[in-house]
Amino acid sequence: MSLSKVPKVYATALLELAIEANSVEATEQELSEIVNAFSEDESIRHYFLSPVVDPIQKEKAVFKAMSGRASEIVVNFVSLVVSKNRYLFLPDIAEAFRAGVDKLKNRSALKIISKESLSPEQKEKIIKTLTNSFKREFRVMETLDSHLIGGFKLFVDDYLIDASIRYKLDGIEEALLQKKIPVGAMYEN
């Protein structure tokens, strides 16, 4: 199996289990929190990536750390991933799972990139406009980019909606360059 297919295979299996158990939203939330916790703590990362630590010990550590804090599906799933030595794929599995849930719920990821944080009213207006245009819900992620002069960029699925000042200035520059200025024009005073 190609390494690039691994996250999708695991995510699809987890999605099927979550649908069966009618716990898609809870599974999505728990998996996201676990991946964040695992990626934030460097010592956890080193422990699960260490070839010295026995895979059975790693699996037991997952059970001990997560039992009672996450659903049985998520605990069993993460311990399976760890026991199969696929720990590095966990963030990609979570992303593939999220994509599967998005498809199931007719939802898309909306990434808003702006120079400064947008007000709640501005975000709501953007989301409402896009919901009417795309006929779906959105999972919103906001990112700040200090290189933008102003405005914002929106990424929805494979679309880019560029409402940045830089884009508008580039359009004006292109329009000015397209105009032909006659050579040798004479101006009278």
Side-chain angles (χ1 to χ4, degrees):
M1 177 184 314
S2 169
L3 290 180
S4 62
K5 292 181 183 176
V6 170
K8 187 167 175 115
V9 169
Y10 278 88
T12 303
L14 180 60
L15 185 58
E16 289 174 6
L17 287 171
I19 291 170
E20 235 176 73
N22 199 22
S23 64
V24 175
E25 292 87 8
T27 303
E28 180 183 19
Q29 182 66 31
E30 289 175 5
L31 187 62
S32 179
E33 289 171 2
I34 288 166
V35 167
N36 288 341
F38 279 12
S39 61
E40 287 174 359
D41 192 341
E42 199 66 28
S43 62
I44 293 174
R45 189 173 191 282
H46 285 299
Y47 177 79
F48 285 113
L49 291 176
S50 173
V52 177
V53 180
D54 182 42
I56 295 170
Q57 285 300 112
K58 292 177 186 178
E59 192 175 349
K60 287 180 182 177
V62 168
F63 269 113
K64 186 176 178 183
M66 293 175 52
S67 291
R69 295 185 179 137
S71 66
E72 186 179 345
I73 291 175
V74 174
V75 172
N76 289 337
F77 178 77
V78 173
S79 66
L80 174 73
V81 169
V82 168
S83 72
K84 295 292 184 182
N85 210 15
R86 303 288 195 202
Y87 172 78
L88 275 177
F89 291 104
L90 207 49
D92 296 330
I93 292 169
E95 188 57 40
F97 182 80
R98 215 174 287 117
V101 172
D102 287 349
K103 189 174 183 178
L104 183 70
K105 295 190 166 290
N106 193 28
R107 182 175 72 181
S108 290
L110 166 62
K111 185 174 183 181
I112 302 173
I113 301 175
S114 59
K115 180 165 181 74
E116 297 175 353
S117 187
L118 299 177
S119 71
E121 295 83 24
Q122 291 171 319
K123 283 187 222 176
E124 187 61 36
K125 186 175 179 183
I126 290 169
I127 292 168
K128 186 176 181 182
T129 303
L130 292 176
T131 300
N132 290 336
S133 298
F134 286 90
K135 307 289 188 239
R136 65 182 64 172
E137 294 179 20
F138 292 97
R139 181 172 36 91
V140 181
M141 296 166 285
E142 188 174 5
T143 308
L144 300 180
D145 182 359
S146 61
H147 297 297
L148 285 177
I149 299 171
F152 55 85
K153 294 180 182 181
L154 305 173
F155 292 91
V156 178
D157 296 330
D158 293 334
Y159 296 100
L160 164 64
I161 301 168
D162 196 343
S164 66
I165 301 295
R166 169 59 47 211
Y167 178 74
K168 291 178 182 179
L169 288 174
D170 288 346
I172 292 170
E173 178 184 33
E174 184 66 30
L176 288 173
L177 290 173
Q178 292 297 324
K179 289 202 176 223
K180 296 186 178 186
I181 300 172
V183 177
M186 297 179 59
Y187 299 99
E188 293 183 27
N189 287 337

